[in-house]
Amino acid sequence: AQKITQTQPGMFVQEKEAVTLDCTYDTSDQSYGLFWYKQPSSGEMIFLIYQGSYDEQNATEGRYSLNFQKARKSANLVISASQLGDSAMYFCAMNLSNTGKLIFGQGTTLQVKP
Amino acid sequence: IAGITQAPTSQILAAGRRMTLRCTQDMRHNAMYWYRQDLGLGLRLIHYSNTAGTTGKGEVPDGYSVSRANTDDFPLTLASAVPSQTSVYFCASSDAAGEADTQYFGPGTRLTVL
């Protein structure tokens, strides 16, 4: 069964420090995409970063990077130099080959402390 | 560029009433989606449309219907609302329905069924 698991319901990080949000996935497909979205308290879903299953390099977007370990089926989000505005819910999601259907994890709430 | 707009922003509805949630995108994306977000369950796909004129069922389609008469609009209809349909509803779109296609989300509609 295709599934995304985020085992950390809530996380705290000190401002300016790095934080890793965990995500593991389960699929037998060879071709898939992994996404991270941010949902601030205002409620909108903001796309952060994408990793393709065939990408050999870890994806990076500014302060966001994705630590992709295919053999372990993990796609952890690393946020460097945390800012107060990073406080939000973060969702990991998987898109299977040519289905267009995102499967979401349950999310991790991140709180950045000043 | 507005991206994706949803209407209404929020609605309180009596059980048994019919309701249509509207979604419009101006990005000329081929694929569109409806998700519901419930506390502790992340986002779940209700219905999707890979291209104008076609629709498909997602993970939780019961009690909902959709239509895709043109590229821009993808309304979601609750024929006879029930309290379990109380949720936040997100519309999303992507250029295509592949595993690498990023889905962009609208601001959401908060629906309460009493």
Side-chain angles (χ1 to χ4, degrees), chain B residues 8 29 33 42 47 71-72 81-83 88 96 100 104 109:
Chain B
H29 282 171
Y33 315 86
H47 284 287
T71 297
D72 299 343
V82 295
V88 179
Y104 297 94
T109 292

Side-chain angles (χ1 to χ4, degrees), chain B residues 93-109:
Chain B
S93 72
S94 60
D95 187 37
E99 71 268 19
D101 289 290
T102 299
Q103 294 185 20
Y104 297 94
F105 285 77
T109 292

Side-chain angles (χ1 to χ4, degrees), chain A residues 31-35 37 39 42-45 47 50 54 91 95-106, chain B residues 33 35 37 40-45 48 50 57-58 90 94 96-107:
Chain A
S31 182
Y32 50 88
L34 297 159
F35 299 80
Y37 287 85
Q39 186 176 42
S42 51
E44 70 268 33
M45 294 287 288
F47 164 70
Y50 160 79
Y54 294 114
F91 290 96
N95 194 340
L96 301 175
S97 176
N98 291 323
T99 66
K101 303 171 191 175
L102 277 179
I103 300 168
F104 283 84
Q106 294 180 328
Chain B
Y33 315 86
Y35 294 87
Q37 182 177 23
L41 293 176
L43 280 78
R44 293 180 293 168
L45 182 67
Y48 65 94
N50 287 346
K57 293 182 179 181
F90 286 98
S94 60
E99 71 268 19
D101 289 290
T102 299
Q103 294 185 20
Y104 297 94
F105 285 77

Side-chain angles (χ1 to χ4, degrees), chain B residues 3 6 12 17 19 23 27 31 36 46 50 56 58 65 80 83 102:
Chain B
Q6 292 184 238
I12 299 173
R17 297 296 296 269
M19 176 76 191
C23 174
M27 298 177 282
R36 61 178 287 173
I46 305 171
N50 287 346
S65 64
S80 179
T102 299

Side-chain angles (χ1 to χ4, degrees), chain B residues 19-103:
Chain B
M19 176 76 191
T20 295
L21 308 185
R22 299 185 297 280
C23 174
T24 300
Q25 53 102 0
D26 64 2
M27 298 177 282
R28 306 303 294 170
H29 282 171
N30 288 299
M32 296 187 74
Y33 315 86
W34 275 105
Y35 294 87
R36 61 178 287 173
Q37 182 177 23
D38 302 296
L39 200 61
L41 293 176
L43 280 78
R44 293 180 293 168
L45 182 67
I46 305 171
H47 284 287
Y48 65 94
S49 168
N50 287 346
T51 188
T54 70
T55 62
K57 293 182 179 181
E59 182 186 355
V60 288
D62 294 343
Y64 306 95
S65 64
V66 291
S67 61
R68 187 89 184 276
N70 57 61
T71 297
D72 299 343
D73 301 299
F74 191 43
L76 175 75
T77 297
L78 290 67
S80 179
V82 295
S84 62
Q85 292 177 312
T86 294
S87 187
V88 179
Y89 291 86
F90 286 98
C91 179
S93 72
S94 60
D95 187 37
E99 71 268 19
D101 289 290
T102 299
Q103 294 185 20

Side-chain angles (χ1 to χ4, degrees), chain A residues 8 10 22 26 33 36-39 45-46 49 52 57-58 60 62 70 76 85 88 95 97 110:
Chain A
Q8 307 153 312
D22 293 342
D26 186 14
W36 278 91
Y37 287 85
K38 172 183 179 181
Q39 186 176 42
M45 294 287 288
I46 303 167
I49 195 166
Q57 302 248 3
N58 286 340
T60 60
K70 194 170 183 177
N76 299 338
N95 194 340
S97 176
L110 176 68

